[in-house]
Amino acid sequence: MAIFKTTYRVMWSDIDAAQVVNHSNYFRLFQRAEEEFYEYLGLGPGFDYFTERRIWLPRIEVFCQYKAPSSFGDTLEVSLTIMEIKKKTVKYGFVVKKKDTGVLVAEGYVVAMAADKRIEKAINFPSEIAKKLKAFKKCARM
Amino acid sequence: MAIFKTTYRVMWSDIDAAQVVNHSNYFRLFQRAEEEFYEYLGLGPGFDYFTERRIWLPRIEVFCQYKAPSSFGDTLEVSLTIMEIKKKTVKYGFVVKKKDTGVLVAEGYVVAMAADKRIEKAINFPSEIAKKLKAFKKCARM
Amino acid sequence: MAIFKTTYRVMWSDIDAAQVVNHSNYFRLFQRAEEEFYEYLGLGPGFDYFTERRIWLPRIEVFCQYKAPSSFGDTLEVSLTIMEIKKKTVKYGFVVKKKDTGVLVAEGYVVAMAADKRIEKAINFPSEIAKKLKAFKKCARM
Amino acid sequence: MAIFKTTYRVMWSDIDAAQVVNHSNYFRLFQRAEEEFYEYLGLGPGFDYFTERRIWLPRIEVFCQYKAPSSFGDTLEVSLTIMEIKKKTVKYGFVVKKKDTGVLVAEGYVVAMAADKRIEKAINFPSEIAKKLKAFKKCARM
């Protein structure tokens, strides 16, 4: 199973009054890893590939378990895997660890749907993307 | 089953470039409903009751399904229920609807743990809170 | 000078690790007051009036002085005034106080420009809006 | 005048419904540059130096002019300078440019105050920090 990894340095504005990264911000981290993943697949910069085609990837289901707090100054390693690809949806798996100690911070998944922004309806993933996602899913660990 | 309801008006800064409330922000909405719920239980304002006792309620698991987008100008009704109370954890259920149309926007749950901020360890919920949560869970629909 | 007032209850996610509302969030509060102000002027809900006409109000200059911290559980009163209207720009003044004590928390201003989203250029404020803003500026204190 | 430079890649969650980085987020960028600056001065990681001494640097005044929009996928270069050091305050200057084109995006300043978190009062900057800030201010362009 291929894994796409990226790192993120926790900013002051990511942490809340409990001095730890607010739980909602992990979903922003996941989204950022996804952004970088599509760029890695050659579909960037930004979501240019998607916006040019008026394709949008709204989330339809998310889940996260929090295992250890992370705080200001931590560098986090976020790993993305493709857990499942269907015609209209993709399920990403995410694992967040502290980069220096390897401590598991959080793990979860996000299911996103391909949608046409003009008609606001689910569509099949364009074959070009589906191919890339499937190839990534199959390829050996990077 | 008792339901605690609150409303929230979507701000410009809640919505992302897809013109809809960013999926991560629903967890902020859930947290806000929880804040107001504890105030309703007489433990507010703010989390005063908790901070005075150095009790902290870190999230250990969250889940959300997104059913329809919401956008700038919408007023959302957020319902909170107590799904389960254990010695050290509480599981809240959340349902988000558009207030004027009743359209289901999102539903999910959040499991929070009672923890002592000084020793950073899980603790039993203080009996006073446990009682209030159980009483709320049992009481007839409000 | 007319003053438009609105209130906001500080959420957990507004405060940062110093236990106070993060300074950047006051600009979100200002924006929220502006949203409600346009709705008060009959141009809502949301920014419907503006989006239908592809008008956009990007900020070109902002300023804020912080006088006292505010924290979780505080209810803030945000006052908006029209300090200046020019052909293409409007300067809003903002004052934030704690609602229960009247303590001054922050004051500042925001200069926004009318722009056409299609051509990404500054435009004159539509006369309908300019009239409403000028009328509000002149009217006696509400 | 010495300049400390850092870069930031705009994330989806930084941009608002107008498809551009929300104006309030530039203050988060400034804060992030400040964080990295103190780390560069040997006072990191995080704000460890400050938190250990219960010193806090609340903002007392901020200003920003927005010159051009930036959006998802842009890499921004944030430059920090020390404009002024007084006994209890420091004034940072910030300039944000697009890294690849050099286009000026925003410029502004932030005045922060040294404060003792326990007594919630302004204090003199510890001499160690004051020396480092003054040395940086004086040194030739890096």
Side-chain angles (χ1 to χ4, degrees), chain D residues 25-139:
Chain D
N25 286 335
Y26 287 96
F27 292 104
R28 300 188 171 220
L29 277 193
F30 295 170
Q31 197 164 21
R32 185 170 174 274
E34 181 190 352
E35 293 162 21
E36 297 189 357
F37 171 66
Y38 280 110
E39 208 158 294
Y40 161 81
L41 293 183
L43 300 169
F47 278 146
D48 280 3
Y49 178 90
F50 295 95
T51 50
E52 280 163 15
R53 285 158 185 75
R54 302 262 188 125
I55 298 169
W56 179 42
L57 300 176
R59 272 86 256 269
I60 56 175
E61 187 175 306
V62 303
F63 173 78
C64 190
Q65 284 185 322
Y66 304 96
K67 302 298 191 179
S70 70
S71 191
F72 183 54
D74 283 343
T75 295
L76 301 176
E77 185 187 72
V78 184
S79 301
L80 176 158
T81 53
I82 301 295
M83 295 174 73
E84 196 176 44
I85 312 168
K86 294 186 180 172
K87 278 191 177 171
K88 296 176 199 298
T89 61
V90 58
K91 184 177 187 175
Y92 310 106
F94 294 97
V95 176
V96 181
K97 291 183 177 175
K98 296 199 189 186
K99 194 170 172 62
D100 54 352
T101 60
V103 166
L104 179 63
V105 170
E107 52 188 342
Y109 68 76
V110 169
V111 183
M113 180 178 77
D116 186 313
K117 194 74 180 132
R118 283 158 301 190
I119 55 171
E120 303 229 326
K121 285 209 172 150
I123 55 168
N124 289 346
F125 269 100
S127 61
E128 189 187 3
I129 300 179
K131 260 184 221 165
K132 280 177 188 276
L133 292 175
K134 282 174 190 164
F136 178 80
K137 187 172 187 296
K138 269 185 220 158
C139 78

Side-chain angles (χ1 to χ4, degrees), chain B residues 9 12 35 39 47 72, chain C residues 9 12 35 39 47 72:
Chain B
R9 194 158 179 289
W12 176 266
E35 294 163 20
E39 207 157 295
F47 278 145
F72 184 55
Chain C
R9 194 160 178 287
W12 175 265
E35 293 161 21
E39 208 157 294
F47 277 145
F72 183 54

Side-chain angles (χ1 to χ4, degrees), chain B residues 45-113:
Chain B
F47 278 145
D48 281 3
Y49 177 90
F50 295 95
T51 50
E52 279 162 15
R53 286 157 184 77
R54 301 265 189 122
I55 297 170
W56 179 42
L57 299 176
R59 271 85 257 267
I60 57 176
E61 188 175 307
V62 302
F63 173 78
C64 190
Q65 284 186 322
Y66 305 96
K67 303 297 191 180
S70 70
S71 190
F72 184 55
D74 283 343
T75 296
L76 301 176
E77 184 187 70
V78 184
S79 300
L80 176 157
T81 53
I82 301 295
M83 296 174 71
E84 196 177 44
I85 312 168
K86 294 186 178 171
K87 279 193 174 167
K88 297 175 198 299
T89 61
V90 59
K91 183 176 186 175
Y92 310 106
F94 294 98
V95 175
V96 181
K97 291 182 177 175
K98 296 199 188 186
K99 194 171 171 61
D100 53 352
T101 61
V103 166
L104 178 64
V105 171
E107 53 189 341
Y109 68 76
V110 169
V111 183
M113 182 177 76

